[in-house]
Amino acid sequence: MNLNFQEDLWLKEACAGNLEAFNQLVTLHQDAVFNSAYRIMGSFDEAEDITQKTFISAFQTIRSFRGGSFKAWLMRIAINACYDEIRRKKRHPAISIEAGSEDPDYIEADYWLPDQSPTPAEISEMKELQSAVQHCLQDLPPDFRMIAVLADVDEMEYEEISRIAGCPMGTVKSRLARARLKLRGCLEEFWELLPRQIRQKYEDRK
């Protein structure tokens, strides 16, 4: 059965209150929500909290879903949860340990790097690159970071990002161009290690 058709069936049943159908939707989208939350927040613990909050909120409000992309609807909830957490942290700053190469699960997650059964030397190299990517993302202002993640990690279209971020498409394009320029400079040392399709996005902005 076509996955999109199956998702539509689960959505219809979930909107009618079917928890099992909603759990199928969670299974389908939880990795995407978590990966984006991690890229934005820079912390596994915070990404897990954001993911949990996203699906709790989605279950509570799913009857308000009016069609279109369910993933985009979920991502809008996740982005709002990220914004809320960023604002909370600004009001109540605290010392935290960010996820990085020291995290035992760090190399297990599938972010920008494909799993191709790497050698130990390649694993070490990927850890270094992933740490660099996350460092450079965290150096971006939150608004730029979120749009860069939605565009270059989730590969969403401008129109979809505009709806999720709640800003005009022109603002999305402007922020993405500036974010890519900053990331390009920050990642210069690791440029040849980046996947070709990612390098191309930034080469187009040179």
Side-chain angles (χ1 to χ4, degrees):
M1 183 181 294
N2 181 276
L3 183 58
N4 290 334
F5 179 74
Q6 181 64 72
E7 182 182 26
D8 288 342
L9 290 179
W10 288 333
L11 269 171
K12 183 177 180 180
E13 293 175 12
C15 287
N18 186 321
L19 180 58
E20 180 57 34
F22 182 78
N23 286 338
Q24 295 292 338
L25 295 172
V26 171
T27 300
L28 184 62
H29 293 290
Q30 62 185 353
D31 287 347
V33 172
F34 175 85
N35 288 351
S36 295
Y38 173 76
R39 282 302 182 193
I40 292 168
M41 302 306 299
S43 162
F44 269 74
D45 289 343
E46 289 177 350
E48 287 177 346
D49 288 343
I50 294 295
T51 302
Q52 183 177 40
K53 290 176 181 177
T54 296
F55 285 107
I56 289 173
S57 178
F59 183 69
Q60 292 172 339
T61 60
I62 195 167
R63 287 182 176 83
S64 69
F65 178 68
R66 294 293 179 265
S69 169
F70 181 67
K71 179 181 178 181
W73 186 74
L74 279 177
M75 291 308 304
R76 190 177 304 118
I77 296 173
I79 291 298
N80 286 337
C82 288
Y83 270 126
D84 288 344
E85 181 60 18
I86 289 170
R87 285 191 290 264
R88 187 194 67 77
K89 289 168 68 175
K90 285 182 178 179
R91 291 194 301 268
H92 305 287
I95 298 174
S96 62
I97 300 175
E98 297 294 336
S101 58
E102 299 84 3
D103 191 317
D105 294 328
Y106 191 63
I107 198 64
E108 299 298 329
D110 179 18
Y111 297 118
W112 273 348
L113 303 174
D115 178 15
Q116 297 178 336
S117 300
T119 66
E122 290 171 333
I123 288 175
S124 177
E125 195 173 72
M126 285 193 293
K127 279 187 176 183
E128 186 178 7
L129 175 56
Q130 287 181 335
S131 181
V133 168
Q134 191 59 41
H135 167 76
C136 291
L137 280 171
Q138 291 302 307
D139 268 357
L140 294 175
D143 290 345
F144 287 26
R145 189 190 316 146
M146 291 179 186
I147 286 176
V149 169
L150 292 175
D152 292 341
V153 179
D154 295 329
E155 298 186 332
M156 291 186 175
E157 300 294 335
Y158 291 138
E159 185 176 354
E160 198 168 28
I161 297 171
S162 175
R163 288 196 298 269
I164 291 171
C167 60
M169 198 178 306
T171 302
V172 169
K173 292 180 180 180
S174 173
R175 288 178 180 174
L176 180 58
R178 292 167 67 185
R180 284 174 172 172
L181 184 62
K182 288 177 179 291
L183 287 169
R184 175 69 168 86
C186 185
L187 290 169
E188 193 74 44
E189 180 181 350
F190 302 90
W191 196 244
E192 294 305 318
L193 300 180
L194 287 170
R196 182 190 57 78
Q197 65 272 25
I198 297 298
R199 293 202 309 270
Q200 187 61 49
K201 292 177 186 293
Y202 295 93
E203 291 288 354
D204 291 343
R205 292 292 174 177
K206 289 180 66 177

